[in-house]
């Protein structure tokens, strides 16, 4: 049997072992490009991904669209000075958190500010009544998450401490995405815990030395992704995406705005019990990943919605395929387009097998930055749509990912860290943002799949997305019960759900109209009796 491949499946330890085995066999890991060496200080070029984000910021300066918020509740006897010293140590340790983006000699470059104390302003709400305190705390958290950054003047990271009581605080950290990603927020959390314990005891934490900084990686990337390697990657993606129009025509509740709004909402998703057990068992027998099975059914749903049979969605990947990058804070995460052709006569085995192969091939060519792909393919420019794909699909495995706090939605990963007499627990902050038309962000929690459907609120009503999420769960249950069911049969099952929804909506409108008419009649009768 062939080994399964899952974008999220390999832990850092397993990746290092795989790289060593490849090296022993005389095979360099894909995209290795030689060692990353320190650059010796001074400005550094932007990574390819940073360059794309910088360009987006130039088009829409002052937007909070790419803020990455972290909000945590700290319970226990907090030492604010030790906390601030810990944050200062992290910012000193990671150049990315002291980075600004300036145009030098006509090109944007990373300029690293010298180390300095990291401010941690305090908002004291402890004297307020309990209800007022909760409202003010939530308001402060949302304000921090949404306040914009200036990429040129910086800083691109900030923090605030909110005191609710002597032993209850909120820690709010917000960083611009151009210098961080989700994995990085986990690195920050782990280092904060280790440093706080040391500083609270009056010592220094013995964190491993960082061999390189993000600027070193950016310079290395531009050298490594050139010549024949770059052409090979570009040729793969051109070949695999050839002939696609790069537009998914989802029916929307509102007309698509000329410029993407960035406003969003989030609705929960859950799958558990017999359907999930059946899908996991079936995927093991078929030797495909659970990711591929879930993606295949999601593609069927998008095909039913759009009337298109050539579905293209994106998925993020950590993109840290070198061991020296694993403990570094920076913007590494890349986006991979996944193309699934939905033939009405194809059964789940065929669709999942196709999705599995597509995912595996994409993972083997993950190094090409998404911005370079857009540049090479030159899809039709439309400020109201994301280029290449408008829908994102993600399956995360908490066992192989660092703790992540924030992101603006309710994550099912409710890890609580204990350190230095404190408990740190995630706090949900609604960012009201969406980067795509629709995102299915799911977590494999073992006995259940849990997550969120994020949507562009300028395009969809909440009830529409709730219907999509529920419908996706229903289709997965149908597929689990009958793996031989074809895509056409699954699409007909979706059509039946749509007809039921429309019938219920018509009935609700009739009932509302009837109530309105009765109300008008009652008012007329009352008026006559009053005047009679």
């Amino acid at each position: 049997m062939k080994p399964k491949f899952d974008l999220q499946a390999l832990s850092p330890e397993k990746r290092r072992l795989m790289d060593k085995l490849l090296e022993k066999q005389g095979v360099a890991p894909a995209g290795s490009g030689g060692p990353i060496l320190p650059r010796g200080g001074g400005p550094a070029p932007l990574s390819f991904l940073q360059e794309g984000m910088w360009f987006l910021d130039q088009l829409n300066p002052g937007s909070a669209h790419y803020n990455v918020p972290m909000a945590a509740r700290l319970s226990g006897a907090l030492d604010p000075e030790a906390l601030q010293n810990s944050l200062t140590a992290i910012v000193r340790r990671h150049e990315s958190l002291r980075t600004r983006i300036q145009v030098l000699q006509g090109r944007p470059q990373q300029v690293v500010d010298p180390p300095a104390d990291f401010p941690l302003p305090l908002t004291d709400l402890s004297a307020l009544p309990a209800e007022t305190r909760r409202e003010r705390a939530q308001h402060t958290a949302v304000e921090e998450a949404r306040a914009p950054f200036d990429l040129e003047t910086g800083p691109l990271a900030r923090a605030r401490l909110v005191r609710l009581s002597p032993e209850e605080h909120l820690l709010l950290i917000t960083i611009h995405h151009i210098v961080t990603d989700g994995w990085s927020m986990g690195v920050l959390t782990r280092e904060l815990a280790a440093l706080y314990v040391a500083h609270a005891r009056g010592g220094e934490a013995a964190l491993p030395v960082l061999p390189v900084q993000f600027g070193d990686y950016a310079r290395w990337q531009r050298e490594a992704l050139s010549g024949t390697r770059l052409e090979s990657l570009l040729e793969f993606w051109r070949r695999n995406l050839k002939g696609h129009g790069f537009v998914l025509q989802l029916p929307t509740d509102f007309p698509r705005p000329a410029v993407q709004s960035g406003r969003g909402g989030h609705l929960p998703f859950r799958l558990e019990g017999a359907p999930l057990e059946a899908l996991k068992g079936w995927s093991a027998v078929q030797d495909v990943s659970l990711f591929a099975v879930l993606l295949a059914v999601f593609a069927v749903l998008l095909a039913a919605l759009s009337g298109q049979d050539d579905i293209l969605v994106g998925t993020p990947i950590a993109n840290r395929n070198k061991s020296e990058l694993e403990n570094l804070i920076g913007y590494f995460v890349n986006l991979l387009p996944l193309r699934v052709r939905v033939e009405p006569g194809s059964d789940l085995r065929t669709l999942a097998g196709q999705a599995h192969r597509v995912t595996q091939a994409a993972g083997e060519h993950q190094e090409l930055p998404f911005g370079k792909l857009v540049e090479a393919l030159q899809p039709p420019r439309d400020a109201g749509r994301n280029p290449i794909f408008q829908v994102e699909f993600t399956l995360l495995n908490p066992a192989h990912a660092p703790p992540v706090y924030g992101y603006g939605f309710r994550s099912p990963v409710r890890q609580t860290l204990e350190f230095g007499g404190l408990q740190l627990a995630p706090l949900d902050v609604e960012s009201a943002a969406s980067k795509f038309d629709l995102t299915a962000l799911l977590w494999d929690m073992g006995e259940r799949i849990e997550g969120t459907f994020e949507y562009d609120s300028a395009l969809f009503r909440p009830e529409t997305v709730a219907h999509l999420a529920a419908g996706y769960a229903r289709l997965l249950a149908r597929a689990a019960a009958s793996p031989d069911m074809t895509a056409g049969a699954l699409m007909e099952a979706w059509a039946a759900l749509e007809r039921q929804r429309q019938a219920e909506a018509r009935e609700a409108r009739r009932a509302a109209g009837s109530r309105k008419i009765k109300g008008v009649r009652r008012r007329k009768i009352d008026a006559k009796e009053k005047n009679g």
Side-chain angles (χ1 to χ4, degrees):
M1 294 175 68
K2 298 177 292 183
K4 297 181 190 177
F5 179 88
D6 191 325
L7 293 180
Q8 316 296 338
L10 291 182
S11 66
E13 294 78 12
K14 288 182 179 179
R15 283 204 306 276
R16 280 195 293 269
L17 178 60
M18 183 181 71
D19 288 351
K20 287 178 182 178
L21 291 173
L22 289 172
E23 288 169 3
K24 284 182 179 179
Q25 297 175 25
V27 180
S32 60
I36 302 175
L37 302 175
R39 70 187 187 285
L46 270 62
S47 72
F48 290 117
L49 290 168
Q50 282 183 316
E51 190 172 63
M53 188 165 289
W54 175 83
F55 179 73
L56 291 174
D57 184 79
Q58 299 302 295
L59 294 177
N60 189 19
S63 169
H65 191 50
Y66 288 99
N67 286 7
V68 179
M70 165 183 157
R73 185 180 296 274
L74 293 169
S75 303
L78 175 68
D79 182 340
E81 184 179 359
L83 181 62
Q84 181 172 7
N85 289 340
S86 302
L87 290 169
T88 294
I90 292 172
V91 174
R92 287 174 180 266
R93 176 175 162 81
H94 295 273
E95 286 186 358
S96 55
L97 299 179
R98 295 182 277 118
T99 294
R100 295 177 289 116
I101 313 300
Q102 289 191 319
V103 177
L104 303 174
Q105 299 178 337
R107 294 188 64 83
Q109 296 194 54
Q110 300 183 66
V111 175
V112 180
D113 290 330
D117 288 344
F118 186 69
L120 182 62
L122 173 67
T123 299
D124 192 346
L125 306 178
S126 59
L128 298 176
E131 186 62 31
T132 305
R133 190 164 60 236
R134 282 192 295 270
E135 291 175 359
R136 286 282 298 277
Q138 183 68 18
H139 179 73
T140 301
V142 171
E143 276 190 332
E144 285 290 314
R146 296 182 185 177
F149 291 98
D150 187 315
L151 297 187
E152 183 176 5
T153 62
L156 303 184
R158 61 172 178 264
R160 178 173 293 276
L161 186 64
V162 180
R163 178 176 294 148
L164 303 176
S165 71
E167 294 199 354
E168 200 77 23
H169 295 77
L170 300 183
L171 176 61
L172 308 174
I173 299 176
T174 311
I175 308 175
H176 196 283
H177 201 351
I178 204 167
V179 294
T180 193
D181 57 18
W183 184 292
S184 298
M185 301 305 279
V187 173
L188 186 154
T189 305
R190 288 199 309 271
E191 293 192 355
L192 179 63
L195 287 164
Y196 178 84
V197 171
H199 284 295
R201 294 172 177 170
E204 295 288 336
L207 294 176
V209 174
L210 295 174
V212 295
Q213 293 287 340
F214 188 83
D216 307 325
Y217 161 77
R219 188 185 67 174
W220 168 86
Q221 185 197 47
R222 288 186 172 271
E223 294 171 353
L225 282 181
S226 60
T228 56
R229 179 55 184 167
L230 177 61
E231 282 306 312
S232 174
L233 289 168
L234 288 171
E235 174 56 28
F236 167 82
W237 286 109
R238 287 193 190 104
R239 183 174 65 252
N240 280 270
L241 299 179
K242 183 179 180 180
H244 201 285
F246 304 126
V247 173
L248 185 63
Q249 300 286 2
L250 293 179
T252 60
D253 296 317
F254 310 108
R256 184 177 294 273
V259 177
Q260 197 173 9
S261 74
R263 300 191 307 273
H266 308 90
L267 290 168
F269 175 86
R270 191 179 184 98
L271 181 73
E272 57 189 341
L276 180 58
E277 291 177 12
L279 287 175
K280 286 190 171 185
W282 184 85
S283 67
V285 170
Q286 296 299 319
D287 195 29
V288 297
S289 67
L290 179 64
F291 177 90
V293 177
L294 297 175
L295 173 62
V297 178
F298 190 66
V300 171
L301 173 62
L302 295 178
L305 285 167
S306 65
Q308 298 168 248
D309 58 10
D310 195 353
I311 303 301
L312 193 62
V313 302
T315 196
I317 189 166
N319 197 33
R320 297 181 185 236
N321 48 18
K322 281 185 164 291
S323 60
E324 56 263 51
L325 305 179
E326 288 166 6
N327 295 315
L328 203 57
I329 291 176
Y331 177 28
F332 295 97
V333 66
N334 198 13
L335 291 170
L336 302 181
L338 304 177
R339 187 178 188 177
V340 180
R341 291 176 171 85
V342 181
E343 298 288 343
S346 297
D347 59 13
L348 184 61
R349 182 181 297 103
T350 302
L351 288 169
Q354 180 194 168
H356 181 83
R357 292 189 297 274
V358 165
T359 302
Q360 184 173 22
E364 292 168 354
H365 298 82
Q366 65 178 273
E367 310 98 277
L368 184 69
F370 184 67
K372 295 293 288 184
L373 180 61
V374 175
E375 180 184 310
L377 296 179
Q378 295 187 338
R381 287 293 181 181
D382 182 349
R385 298 179 188 272
N386 287 88
I388 308 295
F389 55 81
Q390 295 82 51
V391 173
E392 187 181 56
F393 182 85
T394 309
L395 178 66
L396 299 174
N397 187 334
H400 297 150
V404 175
Y405 300 100
Y407 273 106
F409 55 78
R410 184 174 294 278
S411 167
V413 183
R414 314 302 295 172
Q415 298 184 31
T416 298
L417 300 183
E418 295 189 9
F419 56 91
L422 296 176
Q423 280 193 342
L424 183 150
L427 177 74
D428 301 303
V429 178
E430 177 58 66
S431 65
S434 177
K435 297 177 179 64
F436 298 94
D437 290 4
L438 187 67
T439 296
L441 197 155
L442 311 178
W443 295 79
D444 183 359
M445 305 299 291
E447 75 283 358
R448 68 188 187 280
I449 297 291
E450 193 172 348
T452 185
F453 268 51
E454 179 183 280
Y455 62 94
D456 188 331
S457 55
L459 299 177
F460 301 105
R461 295 187 178 94
E463 54 267 29
T464 297
V465 180
H467 177 63
L468 293 181
Y472 179 49
R474 294 277 291 274
L475 292 187
L476 286 170
R478 290 283 187 95
S482 305
D484 294 331
M485 182 177 286
T486 65
L490 284 173
M491 287 191 280
E492 176 52 38
W494 168 258
L497 292 176
E498 278 286 84
R499 288 192 295 270
Q500 179 183 350
R501 179 194 180 208
Q502 292 168 6
E504 290 172 352
R506 286 194 299 269
E507 182 59 34
R509 287 195 296 270
R510 279 196 296 268
S514 177
R515 287 194 298 270
K516 183 176 180 180
I517 292 171
K518 289 179 180 178
V520 171
R521 288 175 178 169
R522 170 45 53 190
R523 286 194 293 273
K524 287 181 178 179
I525 292 171
D526 290 345
K528 286 182 180 179
E529 290 177 350
K530 184 178 180 180
N531 296 329

